Amino acid sequence: MIRYARLAMTALLGLATLLTTLGAAHADEMEKARIGVLRLSSSAPVFIAQDKGYFREAGLEVELKFFDAAQPVAVATTTGDVDVGITAFTAGLYNLAGKGTLKIIAGMSRDRPGYPLIGYFASNKAYEAGLKTPKDLAGKRIAITQVGSSFHYSLGLLADKYGFKLSDMKLVPLQSMSNMAAALKGETVDAALLPVSAARKLMDDGEVKHLGWVGDETPWQVSGVFAGPKTLADKELVTRLLSALQRAEREYHDVVLATVKDGQAAIDDKTKPLLVIIGKYTNLPVEQVAGNCAYIDPQGRLDVKNVDDQIKWLQAQGFADKGYDVEAIIAKEYVKPD
């Protein structure tokens, strides 16, 4: 009996060793990838793919690295600090792409009517003094992250729409969204453009006034997925990553966005698991996440024409270098044009 017990123990130890070895071998087969991203619901599919294991099922061990502004993500992608960047398009990003240090491989969020993403917000003081609508921003001090940022471009579109000059606004680059929110709350600026997820608490606490949504005023392709030459050379990694992202994009679109009405997603048995995941990575309660659901194409398509318009506008303003267009900065083998 003792002999059989010893044999059984030996067999169990052998099986455990085999499983450990197989597990280690499987881990060795996983390809590592670092993704640079902001803690915003506009990157919801990234968080869903990470939390639900879609990256892992695609053979990727993904590390998310978080930033507080878009431009540093582009720089980190160029320097190799991250393998893939997912954030808003900026003049700096386009200039890096124009030099060949990165290329766009897919679309992500869009400012679109009915889906709150980026809003115009006024300080209480400025609101009481007459700043009531987006077209009243002419002549005001407005916080943005950086010159040539997505916020800068949004204000340029607004100026074009209402027939005033971009130079009529006093833009104050504050480098990060947290700095912008603090300046708006402290009333050292009259207004700011902020993602709804970054402004929601200020709105709920009555510390700022909401003037409108960029998506309702001037819809455009806000963000995308991009990578540097080293990552682009690894076609298997890029294909796996985009496959996992598009799986999450389809789920987010069909489960959450399909329920959005008057800017709010439903909170029910189907949507709540995904809203909880998004809240986990954005540090927001489910109720706030439900009002922060940015539009994302279910196939990860990119509005190539709009991106070309962005580049031309930024070049005309002197924010982006001349000598390249959208065709030079997209990886055509991966991009699905819209």
Side-chain angles (χ1 to χ4, degrees):
M1 183 67 69
I2 293 174
R3 180 186 176 191
Y4 289 140
R6 286 176 177 171
L7 287 172
M9 182 62 70
T10 300
L12 287 172
L13 289 172
L15 179 59
T17 301
L18 176 61
L19 291 174
T20 301
T21 302
L22 290 174
H26 178 68
D28 289 341
E29 293 171 3
M30 300 290 287
E31 191 163 9
K32 295 183 178 180
R34 299 158 300 170
I35 297 178
V37 67
L38 278 64
R39 290 188 183 275
L40 299 176
S41 57
S42 50
S43 294
V46 183
F47 309 138
I48 293 168
Q50 178 76 332
D51 209 78
K52 296 193 73 171
Y54 297 164
F55 288 130
R56 182 163 287 276
E57 289 176 21
L60 297 176
E61 184 180 332
V62 166
E63 175 191 357
L64 300 183
K65 299 189 73 172
F66 292 99
F67 295 77
D68 195 33
Q71 181 59 20
V73 179
V75 173
T77 305
T78 295
T79 60
D81 290 336
V82 298
D83 302 300
V84 173
I86 301 177
T87 192
F89 295 132
T90 64
L93 184 153
Y94 289 139
N95 284 339
L96 291 171
K99 293 180 173 64
T101 61
L102 60 83
K103 283 185 180 291
I104 299 168
I105 58 177
M108 187 55 69
S109 64
R110 304 184 188 194
D111 252 321
R112 180 166 167 165
Y115 298 89
L117 177 53
I118 299 172
Y120 312 95
F121 298 94
S123 71
N124 287 331
K125 181 180 178 180
Y127 186 85
E128 291 302 321
L131 178 52
K132 306 289 187 179
T133 70
K135 64 182 178 182
D136 298 328
L137 287 169
K140 303 299 187 292
R141 285 174 53 83
I142 307 166
I144 60 173
T145 46
Q146 290 105 10
V147 171
S149 65
S150 59
F151 304 115
H152 201 162
Y153 177 69
S154 293
L155 288 169
L157 293 178
L158 187 75
D160 290 345
K161 177 177 179 177
Y162 287 111
F164 59 86
K165 296 179 181 178
L166 184 61
S167 58
D168 290 340
M169 296 178 278
K170 172 62 176 177
L171 304 186
V172 185
L174 295 176
Q175 308 309 315
S176 73
M177 288 181 291
S178 54
N179 289 345
M180 292 162 62
L184 187 61
K185 179 180 176 180
E187 299 186 331
T188 58
V189 295
D190 300 313
L193 268 69
L194 286 168
V196 58
S197 54
R200 179 68 68 182
K201 189 174 188 305
L202 296 174
M203 293 168 62
D204 292 345
D205 292 346
E207 294 175 321
V208 301
K209 292 293 190 293
H210 175 231
L211 306 179
W213 301 112
V214 171
D216 292 335
E217 294 284 352
T218 56
W220 64 290
Q221 176 83 54
V222 177
S223 67
V225 187
F226 46 91
K230 182 179 178 181
T231 301
L232 291 169
D234 190 341
K235 295 185 181 300
E236 186 173 355
L237 184 153
V238 176
T239 300
R240 288 178 175 183
L241 185 137
L242 290 180
S243 174
L245 274 179
Q246 287 164 19
R247 180 180 175 186
E249 286 163 348
R250 170 61 68 180
E251 184 174 8
Y252 171 72
H253 180 276
D254 292 354
V255 175
V256 176
L257 293 186
T259 72
V260 171
K261 184 178 181 180
D262 297 326
Q264 290 279 333
I267 302 176
D268 55 33
D269 291 343
K270 290 184 178 180
T271 63
K272 191 171 182 179
L274 295 185
L275 297 175
V276 167
I277 290 172
I278 299 166
K280 171 182 173 182
Y281 289 89
T282 58
N283 297 323
L284 293 173
V286 167
E287 292 73 20
Q288 286 192 28
V289 175
N292 299 347
C293 296
Y295 183 82
I296 294 172
D297 184 81
Q299 299 178 50
R301 290 178 296 185
L302 180 74
D303 187 340
V304 175
K305 182 182 183 304
N306 178 255
V307 171
D308 195 44
D309 289 342
Q310 292 178 43
I311 293 169
K312 289 174 180 175
W313 185 90
L314 291 164
Q315 289 171 335
Q317 299 295 324
F319 301 143
D321 300 334
K322 297 185 183 297
Y324 64 89
D325 60 13
V326 70
E327 294 297 318
I329 68 167
I330 62 172
K332 295 179 182 178
E333 63 270 37
Y334 301 116
V335 167
K336 294 180 180 180
D338 186 5

